[in-house]
Every structure is written in structure tokens, then in C-alpha cells.
Amino acid sequence: MQVSEIEWSKTEQKVAKEAFEKAYEREIAALIQEVRAQASAIAELDDMWRLHDFLSARRHDIDGKYDYSYSVLLFIFARLVKEGWLHLDELKGLQTDKLSKVAALSRM
Amino acid sequence: MQVSEIEWSKTEQKVAKEAFEKAYEREIAALIQEVRAQASAIAELDDMWRLHDFLSARRHDIDGKYDYSYSVLLFIFARLVKEGWLHLDELKGLQTDKLSKVAALSRM
């Protein structure tokens, strides 16, 4: 599946950017809630280091995942759909072949 | 100041162990409170990564600090006194020269 040399129209770029930011905001909001919940449940040192490990992993994950680059954007969208941070509907406005690719990749 | 070859009587070992554990419990309890407070105040991603950085630093610090070894115990006690996790009074039962050393080191 050749996705790295796809052209993105101005309209598509706008749709993509908005969808990307929406997913990012959702994931961050959920993460903040999760961290607050874990922090409020800390009873001993081990719980605190577990929170630290959790934050280390999530930071690494998020830093790597939200790389807005057109060459990998369909893969990112597929992952975001798969993980539930984005709905395919929210990519409406992209060309049909792009939507099909995201849908297919998200089911892998 | 030669402190590494000091003898510790059974009584002193008991006093030392109890003081050590008391300081540890205090510092951990304060840290847990601090982490809960920081977590409940998280409003955006940067706040969360600041909490992560804070936990990384504190973990490193605490892992290194609470090393119960008689060869360095007077230094540890001095640091704990200086940082407010331990009172000199709580070392009562140690030989006078040990107490003096801890007091002197804690003022450095």
C-alpha cells in the first residue's frame, strides 16, 4: 500500500489537521483524568513509582505518536481510529481512497 | 572526620534503625501528598510532564538517599536532620560523639 507519496489538497489538509488535533485533545484529556485518578489512589511508595512508570511509558508513546507528517498521516489516523481517539466520520472530506486506506489499516 | 569505621552497639543499631524508618516514612508521606496535589492541579500536558520530571528526580534522589549502611549512616542522618525529616532528639541513645558529628554535619 503506497501511502507515503499521496497528495493532500488544501481542503484535505484542513480536515486532517482538525481531526488530528481532536484526537490529540481527547487522548490527552483521558490521560490527565487517568493520572489524577491514579494519583489520588496512591497509598504507598510502590503506587507512586507505578505512576512514574506509567507516565514514562505514556510520554514516550505520545511523543512518538503525534508526529504530524503527511508521509505517515494515514498510518497515524488508522492507529487513532483503532485506539478509539478518532472516528472515521471525522475524516470526512478526505478523498475516498485515503478513507479506505485508513479504514483498512485500522482493522489490521 | 573519621566516621566510616565507627562501632554501633546493639542499642544504637535499634535507635538508628527506628530513626531511619521514621524519617523515611515522613518523607514518603510528604511526597505522596505533594504528588497528589500536583496531580489534582494538572490542567494541560505540560503540567503532566512536569509531574513526570518531578517523580523522576525524586525517585532517583530517594533511591540513593535511603541506603541503610553503617559506614555512611552519620552522613545520612545529618542530611535527614538538615532536610527536616528527622530531629536530633530522635537519635537520643546514640553515643555522644555520634550525636555531635551528626549535629556538626547537619549544619554544613
Side-chain angles (χ1 to χ4, degrees):
Chain A
M1 198 178 285
Q2 294 257 329
V3 291
S4 61
E5 289 163 28
I6 290 172
E7 294 288 316
W8 295 75
S9 71
K10 287 277 171 206
T11 312
E12 285 185 310
Q13 287 182 20
K14 191 168 176 292
V15 169
K17 191 80 189 163
E18 280 176 12
F20 185 88
E21 284 170 2
K22 210 176 281 178
Y24 180 77
E25 278 163 24
R26 281 180 191 138
E27 182 161 8
I28 299 309
L31 180 54
I32 288 175
Q33 274 208 320
E34 170 67 25
V35 168
R36 281 187 190 151
Q38 281 196 31
S40 69
I42 291 172
E44 53 181 340
L45 197 63
D46 281 351
D47 300 331
M48 198 154 51
W49 297 160
R50 252 192 298 279
L51 171 62
H52 179 242
D53 291 338
F54 174 77
L55 280 169
S56 299
R58 301 301 291 119
R59 189 174 196 169
H60 180 79
D61 188 41
I62 284 175
D63 281 352
K65 181 155 77 173
Y66 287 95
D67 168 26
Y68 193 81
S69 160
Y70 289 110
S71 65
V72 291
L73 204 48
L74 295 186
F75 292 105
I76 297 174
F77 282 150
R79 181 174 170 190
L80 293 174
V81 168
K82 190 177 186 131
E83 293 176 351
W85 304 117
L86 193 65
H87 301 279
L88 272 176
D89 290 351
E90 293 170 315
L91 294 172
K92 219 169 140 180
L94 300 190
Q95 286 177 345
T96 313
D97 65 325
K98 289 194 185 69
L99 287 173
S100 306
K101 281 169 185 165
V102 171
L105 287 165
S106 73
R107 286 191 300 268
M108 280 183 185
Chain B
M1 198 177 284
Q2 293 256 331
V3 292
S4 61
E5 286 162 28
I6 291 171
E7 294 288 315
W8 295 75
S9 71
K10 287 277 170 205
T11 311
E12 286 186 308
Q13 288 183 18
K14 192 169 176 291
V15 169
K17 190 80 189 162
E18 280 175 10
F20 186 88
E21 283 169 3
K22 209 176 280 180
Y24 180 78
E25 279 163 23
R26 280 180 192 138
E27 182 162 9
I28 299 309
L31 180 55
I32 288 175
Q33 274 208 321
E34 171 67 24
V35 168
R36 281 187 190 152
Q38 281 196 30
S40 70
I42 291 172
E44 52 180 340
L45 197 63
D46 281 351
D47 300 331
M48 197 154 52
W49 297 160
R50 253 192 297 280
L51 172 61
H52 179 242
D53 290 340
F54 174 78
L55 281 169
S56 299
R58 302 301 291 118
R59 189 174 195 168
H60 180 78
D61 188 42
I62 284 176
D63 281 352
K65 181 156 77 173
Y66 286 96
D67 167 26
Y68 193 82
S69 160
Y70 288 110
S71 64
V72 292
L73 205 47
L74 294 187
F75 293 105
I76 296 174
F77 282 148
R79 181 174 171 191
L80 294 174
V81 168
K82 190 178 187 129
E83 293 176 349
W85 304 117
L86 193 65
H87 300 279
L88 271 176
D89 290 351
E90 293 170 316
L91 293 172
K92 220 169 139 178
L94 300 190
Q95 285 176 348
T96 313
D97 66 324
K98 289 195 184 70
L99 287 173
S100 306
K101 282 169 183 166
V102 171
L105 288 165
S106 73
R107 285 191 300 269
M108 282 184 184

